[in-house]
Amino acid sequence: MLQKAPRRTRERILELSLRLFNEFGEPNITTTVIAEEMNISPGNLYYHFRNKDDIVNSIFVQFEAEIERILTVPSGRRSNIEDVWLYLHLMFELIWRYRFFYRDLNDLLSRNRKLELHFKLILAHKIKVATQLCEDLRSEQSLVASDMEIGAMATNMVVVATYWLSYEYVRNPRKYSEQQSMSDALARGCYQVLSLIGPYLRDETHLLFRKLSEQYLTTLQEDGRLTDGAI
């Protein structure tokens, strides 16, 4: 049988660093900690990365490539409410995989010029996609809103999505790394963002939105995972 080639040290460093940053926060992890966890010497680590910012920037390159793939809208047709729901779920899953960027966002941007510039572009792109999704719904007469209302709606959607994990961390820091707890938190985030569109939806699209929302809320209530103040 053919054996898989061992992962290169550089790839293993990035994988481990992402896990440590996510679990303990990027400010709390040093290159010494990473080298110790990798069971390699600091010199070996510095052979692959100049410093911790170099590691962070390399992880960000991966994140940026993945988010660019998500920040697209269906081609050849206008988006519908199910496209918006799917888009939000994919976005929140990606945010969770790279959650340290969002939890430690202000600290990272204050000392990393590259992240500052690129994150601004990502936010602008997110708002552009959210605006287009809303405009597609309006073109299909599924949503009734002015350009100004859509602009505010798109911005609010991005703001809530960007800071949702920070909100959840403040609500329950001791369970922040528990998979089930955060899976529920991400689902609540999707619902919370989508609820910003709800009042503007009409006819069958509004009924579908209500159906999707009720199914989601019923599932959480039956599982006993819907807590006060969660939505």
Side-chain angles (χ1 to χ4, degrees), residues 67-160:
I67 204 168
E68 284 298 320
R69 288 194 291 270
I70 292 177
L71 290 175
T72 57
V73 293
S75 59
R77 65 175 177 84
R78 293 189 176 96
S79 306
N80 56 43
I81 193 64
E82 290 176 313
D83 291 323
V84 179
W85 189 274
L86 176 61
Y87 164 75
L88 289 173
H89 274 275
L90 292 175
M91 182 59 64
F92 271 101
E93 286 175 2
L94 183 64
I95 289 173
W96 173 250
R97 282 204 301 277
Y98 294 91
R99 57 192 175 275
F100 84 92
F101 282 127
Y102 288 83
R103 190 178 71 175
D104 304 323
L105 186 59
N106 292 349
D107 181 70
L108 284 166
L109 298 189
S110 69
R111 56 184 172 80
N112 191 315
R113 180 64 173 167
K114 177 181 178 180
L115 261 62
E116 177 190 347
L117 295 174
H118 284 244
F119 229 98
K120 287 180 180 179
L121 294 176
I122 288 174
L123 289 181
H125 197 171
K126 285 182 179 180
I127 292 174
K128 180 180 178 180
V129 171
T131 300
Q132 185 171 346
L133 291 171
C134 292
E135 289 178 344
D136 282 355
L137 291 174
R138 183 173 64 180
S139 296
E140 293 293 318
Q141 298 183 337
S142 300
L143 177 146
V144 177
S146 66
D147 289 345
M148 183 177 295
E149 288 171 326
I150 286 178
M153 199 186 316
T155 299
N156 290 339
M157 290 169 69
V158 172
V159 170
V160 173

Side-chain angles (χ1 to χ4, degrees), residues 7-91:
R7 286 173 300 162
R8 293 184 303 167
T9 301
R10 177 183 172 85
E11 294 170 348
R12 291 172 53 227
I13 291 172
L14 291 177
E15 183 180 289
L16 174 66
S17 298
L18 176 59
R19 179 174 65 80
L20 292 174
F21 292 160
N22 281 340
E23 290 184 7
F24 302 104
E26 183 272 343
N28 300 317
I29 300 299
T30 64
T31 52
T32 301
V33 170
I34 296 170
E36 289 176 351
E37 288 288 326
M38 282 284 298
N39 197 26
I40 61 176
S41 68
N44 194 351
L45 179 70
Y46 292 131
Y47 172 80
H48 297 281
F49 298 97
R50 296 186 304 276
N51 48 43
K52 189 171 75 167
D53 279 349
D54 194 15
I55 296 175
V56 170
N57 288 339
S58 296
I59 294 174
F60 186 79
V61 169
Q62 297 175 351
F63 164 74
E64 199 168 25
E66 291 188 47
I67 204 168
E68 284 298 320
R69 288 194 291 270
I70 292 177
L71 290 175
T72 57
V73 293
S75 59
R77 65 175 177 84
R78 293 189 176 96
S79 306
N80 56 43
I81 193 64
E82 290 176 313
D83 291 323
V84 179
W85 189 274
L86 176 61
Y87 164 75
L88 289 173
H89 274 275
L90 292 175
M91 182 59 64

